[in-house]
Amino acid sequence: MNLFSEPRMALHTLRPIALILAGVFSFSFLSGCGGSSGGTDTTPTTPTTPTVPTTPTVGSLSVKDGLTKLAASLVDNTILPAYQNMYSAAKKLESNSTEFCALTTPSNTDLEKLKQTWRETNLAWQAARTLKFGPIAETFYYSRVQFWPISASKLALDVEAALAEKSDFSEGFGSQKHQIQGLPAMEYVLFNSDPATSLVGAQDKENRCGYVKAITRNVSDIMEDTLLQWNSGYAQSFKDGSGDFDSKKHALEKFLTIWFEYLEIINDDKLKAPLGIGIPGKPDLLESAISLSSLDNIAVNINTLFAQYQGGNEFGFDDYLTQVNDREDVNTALMTAFDTLLANVNGLKNDTLTDLIKTDEGRVKLQELRKAITELRTIMSTDFVQVTDLAPGFNTNDGD
């Protein structure tokens, strides 16, 4: 997906999550945002922090109506589409894995097709994994789909140990370690380049295929149940501010807490950790290191967080700022910060994170990306929070 190179597409014509994933492998998604939902493109500039007045201003929409519209829009236009896309991708991966494993003598071309389906599923997950609350978090489903951070070498050892100890995965994983149950474990089996353990050439191909099918069934079942729980009442509870939530405001504050947490995950776990303290960095700590998908993951993450801010191009936090709080200035500052952040992502379109951490020039680019994330977070955690009175929890990144 070309998430990096072209100006903003017609965001109002497609659902944001589907749009984010539509061109995943040609690197052509937004490099700028500009304005509120339906605004015009702007040239990226250094974000400025607007002054917050002592007396909050009042817009054309009441707080009560704004909270109602925002909660409903987030569920209908960002949360449910993300889970539905991930479930559809997981079912396709399950089907394609079964077809591959039914081949008597699969070729490298057959394996490449399966790898491509894994990439598509992984990127659908990168959109869905920004939503770490509710059923997917309360049931430990989240870490069973992707247990991370974990070093690539540790993951490889754990997967090979599981394959050596068990030859029948038809009953699934039971209480086995979460790191051997999800997409990173499948990534290792598909993408590792050792002929002795390749899914095409390994002597224990049948066992490895059984393992791959168990992973895809596990991920598919998890996403099916997650989607079912949201559609069976959790979505309405979020909209109503009931059940797990004390109010609609509380539901939105929970959403924002996870939104902030994910910015921290990108900045700390996905960028700072593999950068290390100097060249050559710590490539073993990269997310999706073996498939070289680390930057694709980050691009999807950032574009998804932006789509969430805009409420899927329906009623979003941008509209809440302008219609409830009458603060177009704060929204403009945030859009400028997003422009800068997306411009930094755009500047990485021809690179891999594996290569960037190994050179001075690459590391400068990554530090600029980290700076842009920090600037966006600063405006959100100060002016946005003060103006809207939506108070998420901070310093929430305890690893995932």
Side-chain angles (χ1 to χ4, degrees):
M1 175 179 191
N2 193 338
L3 297 170
F4 303 97
S5 63
E6 294 187 0
R8 185 159 61 123
M9 296 179 180
L11 290 175
H12 293 275
T13 62
L14 293 174
R15 284 197 168 189
I17 300 302
L19 178 58
I20 287 168
L21 300 175
V24 166
F25 304 105
S26 60
F27 295 105
S28 66
F29 194 58
L30 37 103
S31 59
C33 31
S36 59
S37 301
T40 57
D41 292 336
T42 60
T43 302
T45 57
T46 303
T48 57
T49 304
T51 303
V52 181
T54 8
T55 306
T57 53
V58 179
S60 59
L61 193 67
S62 70
V63 171
K64 179 181 178 181
D65 289 344
L67 294 174
T68 298
K69 289 187 70 172
L70 184 53
S73 182
L74 289 174
V75 169
D76 295 338
N77 301 303
T78 68
I79 299 172
L80 291 180
Y83 283 137
Q84 181 60 61
N85 280 331
M86 177 54 193
Y87 172 58
S88 298
K91 291 300 290 184
K92 180 180 177 182
L93 183 63
E94 182 181 13
S95 174
N96 288 7
S97 297
T98 300
E99 290 174 7
F100 174 89
C101 289
L103 298 172
T104 307
T105 54
S107 65
N108 285 323
T109 301
D110 296 321
L111 182 57
E112 283 303 319
K113 290 178 181 177
L114 185 55
K115 287 179 179 180
Q116 180 76 350
T117 308
W118 180 90
R119 291 186 186 99
E120 294 168 3
T121 307
N122 175 59
L123 290 178
W125 169 245
Q126 290 300 322
R129 81 178 296 244
T130 62
L131 300 163
K132 189 186 175 183
F133 71 98
I136 203 163
E138 294 164 2
T139 55
F140 297 102
Y141 280 170
Y142 191 88
S143 62
R144 289 176 60 198
V145 175
Q146 183 188 19
F147 184 93
W148 192 80
I150 184 174
S151 70
S153 55
K154 175 67 166 64
L155 177 62
L157 289 172
D158 286 345
V159 170
E160 289 298 339
L163 286 164
E165 292 169 6
K166 189 173 182 179
S167 59
D168 182 9
F169 294 93
S170 60
E171 299 301 318
F173 296 104
S175 60
Q176 288 183 283
K177 296 176 180 177
H178 286 189
Q179 58 259 45
I180 70 165
Q181 298 188 28
L183 293 176
M186 185 173 180
E187 176 191 9
Y188 166 75
V189 175
L190 295 185
F191 289 88
N192 89 84
S193 57
D194 185 347
T197 54
S198 164
L199 196 54
V200 169
Q203 300 237 335
D204 61 343
K205 171 187 170 290
E206 186 175 346
N207 190 34
R208 288 174 186 270
C209 259
Y211 178 55
V212 162
K213 289 191 291 184
I215 290 174
T216 61
R217 186 169 59 250
N218 181 53
V219 172
S220 177
D221 287 349
I222 284 172
M223 296 315 305
E224 181 177 24
D225 189 56
T226 299
L227 192 58
L228 177 64
Q229 289 189 59
W230 271 90
N231 284 323
S232 298
Y234 199 85
Q236 196 59 50
S237 292
F238 186 93
K239 292 179 181 181
D240 295 341
S242 60
D244 289 349
F245 308 105
D246 297 333
S247 63
K248 293 171 187 175
K249 183 174 183 284
H250 178 219
L252 292 168
E253 288 174 338
K254 178 62 176 179
F255 183 95
L256 280 171
T257 297
I258 304 305
W259 195 94
F260 275 102
E261 176 181 314
Y262 211 83
L263 276 183
E264 295 172 9
I265 288 170
I266 297 169
N267 221 0
D268 295 343
D269 296 339
K270 299 194 178 198
L271 291 170
K272 182 181 179 181
L275 272 167
I277 59 173
I279 293 173
K282 298 182 178 181
D284 201 38
L285 300 183
L286 289 168
E287 182 190 33
S288 305
I290 306 174
S291 63
L292 301 178
S293 301
S294 306
L295 277 179
D296 291 343
N297 294 354
I298 291 172
V300 170
N301 297 156
I302 290 172
N303 280 287
T304 300
L305 294 177
F306 171 65
Q308 291 167 357
Y309 174 75
Q310 287 200 310
N313 292 304
E314 296 298 333
F315 191 90
F317 292 101
D318 54 342
D319 300 297
Y320 192 92
L321 275 169
T322 58
Q323 296 183 35
V324 174
N325 305 118
D326 194 25
R327 291 302 301 269
E328 183 65 54
D329 59 330
V330 178
N331 181 55
T332 298
L334 283 165
M335 286 300 185
T336 302
F338 268 115
D339 280 338
T340 303
L341 177 54
L342 291 164
N344 275 275
V345 175
N346 180 55
L348 306 177
K349 61 184 178 182
N350 297 319
D351 300 297
T352 67
L353 206 48
T354 302
D355 291 333
L356 287 168
I357 64 175
K358 295 177 182 177
T359 68
D360 288 329
E361 181 183 1
R363 294 173 69 85
V364 168
K365 290 180 180 179
L366 294 176
Q367 292 295 1
E368 285 299 312
L369 177 58
R370 295 193 67 228
K371 179 182 176 183
I373 292 172
T374 299
E375 288 174 346
L376 171 64
R377 188 188 188 282
T378 297
I379 300 172
M380 283 291 293
S381 64
T382 55
D383 291 351
F384 174 86
V385 168
Q386 291 174 50
V387 166
T388 62
D389 193 35
L390 293 171
F394 295 114
N395 299 317
T396 52
N397 182 16
D398 57 357
D400 69 321

